[in-house]
Amino acid sequence: MRLAARLADALTDPAVAAGVAHADLAEVSDDELGSLLPAAYRVTGEAARPSSSVRYLVQIAGRERQPRYTPDACRRMFEALAEQSERRDWTDAALAVSSLARCTGPWPDVAAPARAMTEFLLDKDRVAQPYALLAMAGLAGDRAVRAVVERLGRDAGPIALEQIAVITGLAPAERALLADTDRVASFNAPPPLEEAWREIAGTPAYADFARRALRAAADRADAIQSGAVPYRADKAFTDREVVALGHAARVALLRDEPWLPELLGRLLPGISVAPTAARTLPSQALLYELVRAGQDFPTPELVTAVRTVRVTARHAGVPKQLDKMLKKLDSALAERTDVALRLPTLGFDGEGVLRREAGGRYAAVVTVAGTAGLTWEKDGRPLRGVPAPVRRDHGGLVKEMRDLVKRVDVQLLTLARALEGGFTVDAVHPYGWWRTELAGHPLARSVVRRLIWEIEVLPGEWRPVLPEAGEDLPDAPDDARVRLWHPLRSDPGRVRAWRDLLTERHLRQPFKQAFREIYLLTPAEEETRVHSNRFAAHLVHYRRMFALFRARGWASRLLGPWDGGDGDDAVRTLAAGRWQARFFHARADGAGDEELASTDQVRFARRVAGGWREAPLAEVPPLVFSEAMRDVDLFVGVTSIAADPEWTDRGPERAYWERASFAELNESAQTRRDALRRIVPRLRIADRCSFDGRFLVVRGELRTYRIHLGSANILMEPDGSCLCVVPERRTAGGKVFLPFEDDRLSLILSKAFLLAADADITDRGILAQIERGVRAP
């Protein structure tokens, strides 16, 4: 008997429930799941308790996957949920409407149960699902629609009222899709359909509403700033208007409307800063809702506007919250390659220079070379600072130029993040467009030219080029393909050559590319098949790791001494939403004031019909696998207690510290070693340094030291005792060119310079450790 049939029996006959209480529903099809869910929602009461575990299994699958409903299953779902309102004083309009959105045939007549649920929800004043409630009322009849419109209209605000009027004029299927987009309305409904937002955005009536709503919001913000509307902190828009504007923004962002950048340029500053000197803002709720809309459908103009607001907002908590949200926004933009690389010229010439005259003899000059820099000239001669006459007579210009520098740097950062994020989608571009709009763009060129690109000069033949190195671009047709070079696709010899070139010419790339770590499937991972233990069983400083999750765009709940706080999986979506990586971790016993976590498996899932299905590691695209594992390596490598030189005896954690502090090098540490092999021969202490496997060996006057290239911890010869040196940010011995930014690399070099001149050390704490071994018999 098929599993679906056994589950159906278990939902109606508690006597057979035990046999499938822990079944894996992966083999149950989406159509079978849609048939099971109505029966699951009918399970209630003490007599059905043995069936409850099966009910939970089915309901959880319904929340995670995309069930498909026959017309009969839709009818049964409506009837089951209407019965719940009578039996359990509960019902879920969004769950009911979601079954219609996934119906595989003509909609059944569900007017009676829809009317019962609508009346129940209005009677109980449960209107937290406004879109689903409007869709439900449309099924129940005109009287129900009028009642719902009247209730939702109370204290809604004019923008929300207009949205309600627009929704009531939509077709029933359009109302159901709109309800499906409301992800926070129901804990029980499945993930939104992939086509839902596209269908809504393609509805002319709703697209027109989106423009009117956002323009009305910007006009209101302008009126508040001018004083035409009285200012009240966080009261510029009602709760319903915030939700309506969030929907309007998603539609406009998805459509990439040409009028939107200018409008956002008014709206975001207008709602984020009080018109007075108060450290409040007109609408914190709308600001965050617009950023969340951008996380769904980002554009570079929105990201730039959010970064600008992050600088100007005076409310103490807003910049910190925007920093968290910007991580997800950057990650999302990187995967929306159709718009991510768009960049305005802002009046700069072809060489990335903009000049503005100030009073005839003076000029402001902004030059973009990696970052934007502002200088001042008098009669064409450069000056050290802002000339006094300009500061006195042209204060507005000074502010404008300084703001322009900040804006350009924000846009360049956004572009770099978008390009790096394109690795997992293996983004390709037409050569003609790339040559003019990226490599030849006045601003983008400073980022693009320092990266290695591949041009498909013949079918299947890719030629790499680094424009900043002075290489001529190859002859190729405008429709030839261009993509970022990735070391995973290159042979080791070519990778070494690029790394040598960057080091010799002191070229720092916008992000780590030539020196990028790669992660290939190991034999152990082929054995475990669906999970990797490569980064399991580490002890880490949890709060530091949690901060890195946010910084790298991974979503995770905070662990702590509360219900459900014992463990979680950090999740990142990659490859334009097609793949998902999950990194499991759990709370560990604290050591003193420390909060520790233990690391566990990494698993992957692919998106199938709007839901996530776990996938074998061998089926994960190599670039997706490598980029996800690179992040996890970063989390563990940076936050492991093994990298803490001051860690002392603290029970069983000490055994882990001793084992991991000097362990074999992982991929990031091997890349660090590769960089050091190029850097060290150029240093004045080169004759005192050598490499031995996982160590940089430094010969001092008093002792010889072995610096581990992973943890940066130090062993002293000849006895192998540990030397604790508090980390320093500054690299001793002057400025050293590093081909990429890496705190651990800087720390190792700093320690190497210090220990090569150990006879000059004056720190008594360090000297005592060194001399203890030197004086020993």
Side-chain angles (χ1 to χ4, degrees), residues 748-764:
I748 290 170
L749 286 170
S750 178
K751 290 182 176 181
F753 275 105
L754 176 74
L755 298 174
D758 57 359
D760 299 329
I761 293 174
T762 57
D763 187 298
R764 293 307 308 170

Side-chain angles (χ1 to χ4, degrees), residues 252-403:
L253 288 165
L254 177 57
R255 291 170 62 91
D256 197 20
E257 297 282 15
W259 48 263
L260 187 59
E262 181 275 332
L263 194 147
L264 289 175
R266 290 170 50 206
L267 179 56
L268 283 170
I271 62 175
S272 61
V273 181
T276 66
R279 295 181 177 274
T280 56
L281 60 165
S283 183
Q284 191 170 173
L286 180 58
L287 174 61
Y288 294 156
E289 178 62 15
L290 292 176
V291 180
R292 283 190 290 269
Q295 290 172 349
D296 289 335
F297 305 109
T299 65
E301 294 84 5
L302 174 67
V303 176
T304 298
V306 173
R307 281 206 167 91
T308 302
V309 163
R310 183 248 176 267
V311 174
T312 58
R314 294 194 294 264
H315 186 289
V318 168
K320 185 180 295 186
Q321 181 62 25
L322 288 180
D323 282 342
K324 296 177 182 177
M325 301 179 82
L326 274 165
K327 306 302 181 184
K328 294 182 181 179
L329 197 54
D330 284 334
S331 178
L333 179 63
E335 295 178 353
R336 195 182 179 193
T337 55
D338 55 329
V339 301
L341 306 184
R342 187 169 59 214
L343 207 64
T345 61
L346 301 178
F348 283 79
D349 66 20
E351 299 301 315
V353 178
L354 180 144
R355 297 176 59 87
R356 290 285 301 277
E357 300 297 326
R361 301 186 64 187
Y362 298 98
V365 182
V366 179
T367 305
V368 180
T371 58
L374 171 62
T375 58
W376 294 88
E377 294 179 354
K378 179 181 179 181
D379 297 329
R381 296 191 307 273
L383 301 174
R384 291 187 176 181
V386 184
V390 173
R391 188 182 298 110
R392 182 187 64 242
D393 300 331
H394 302 278
L397 176 64
V398 174
K399 182 180 185 303
E400 180 186 345
M401 292 296 98
R402 287 173 174 169
D403 289 345

Side-chain angles (χ1 to χ4, degrees), residues 598-622:
S598 60
T599 63
D600 207 333
Q601 300 174 353
V602 178
R603 292 174 176 262
F604 289 82
R606 64 154 56 91
R607 195 165 185 84
V608 179
W612 294 104
R613 298 284 182 88
E614 188 169 79
L617 301 181
E619 296 179 9
V620 181

Side-chain angles (χ1 to χ4, degrees), residues 32-53:
E32 291 170 333
L33 182 59
S35 181
L36 289 168
L37 279 163
Y41 279 96
R42 275 199 162 99
V43 175
T44 186
E46 190 65 28
R49 183 174 293 275
S51 296
S52 294
S53 59

